[in-house]
Amino acid sequence: MTHVPPGRLVLNLSDICNRPKDFIGQSVRIKGYLKAFDPAANCATIEFDQHSLTVHTDLLDAFPFPIHSLVEFIGEIEQDGVNEVRVRPRVARDMSTVDLELYEKAAECKLEYLKRQRFS
């Protein structure tokens, strides 16, 4: 059986956009608002807090998300040009009904817990 790595929780697109080389080859879990989708090119663009990221959707069976919906992706970060990266997700889900403030608080707690576990 093939091992599929879990997606490392990334709270902000800015983390990836500001340090793209740190994430190349890593499996991540990231969210953003869908700004554009080109089904012929299997390419979407997400934005969150004034940062954007290209999403290559070829591994997804369907892409039923409307523009402006909040979507979470789990997949790998790949190099896309010299200083650009993209996420190539294997899983996507609609987060439009999620309480974003509560979600982010829970995610911050989880990251803090994981940091403490690593250093104990």
Side-chain angles (χ1 to χ4, degrees):
M1 180 179 226
T2 304
H3 172 70
V4 177
R8 173 181 157 196
L9 179 60
V10 178
L11 277 181
N12 301 304
L13 281 182
S14 62
D15 294 342
I16 294 173
C17 294
N18 293 336
R19 300 184 331 268
K21 292 185 180 185
D22 292 352
F23 290 90
I24 294 172
Q26 288 194 26
S27 182
V28 297
R29 181 168 39 136
I30 191 73
K31 67 185 175 311
Y33 291 97
L34 184 62
K35 292 299 175 188
F37 177 57
D38 180 355
N42 283 321
C43 189
T45 302
I46 58 170
E47 290 182 353
F48 198 84
D49 289 337
Q50 301 174 345
H51 289 87
S52 64
L53 184 66
T54 299
V55 180
H56 193 65
T57 62
D58 65 324
L59 297 179
L60 300 174
D61 286 337
F63 199 83
F65 311 107
I67 300 297
H68 304 298
S69 61
L70 182 62
V71 183
E72 181 178 59
F73 299 96
I74 300 175
E76 282 62 49
I77 298 292
E78 299 177 337
Q79 189 144 7
D80 186 27
V82 177
N83 289 318
E84 306 245 341
V85 295
R86 67 180 179 197
V87 64
R88 190 171 184 206
R90 54 188 184 278
V91 176
R93 73 173 177 144
D94 184 1
M95 291 185 65
S96 296
T97 61
V98 171
D99 179 335
L100 199 52
E101 185 178 336
L102 182 59
Y103 173 86
E104 290 189 353
K105 283 181 183 177
E108 287 173 6
C109 289
K110 180 177 180 177
L111 288 174
E112 186 61 36
Y113 171 77
L114 292 172
K115 282 180 190 174
R116 281 187 292 194
Q117 292 298 90
R118 229 179 289 147
F119 296 113
S120 59

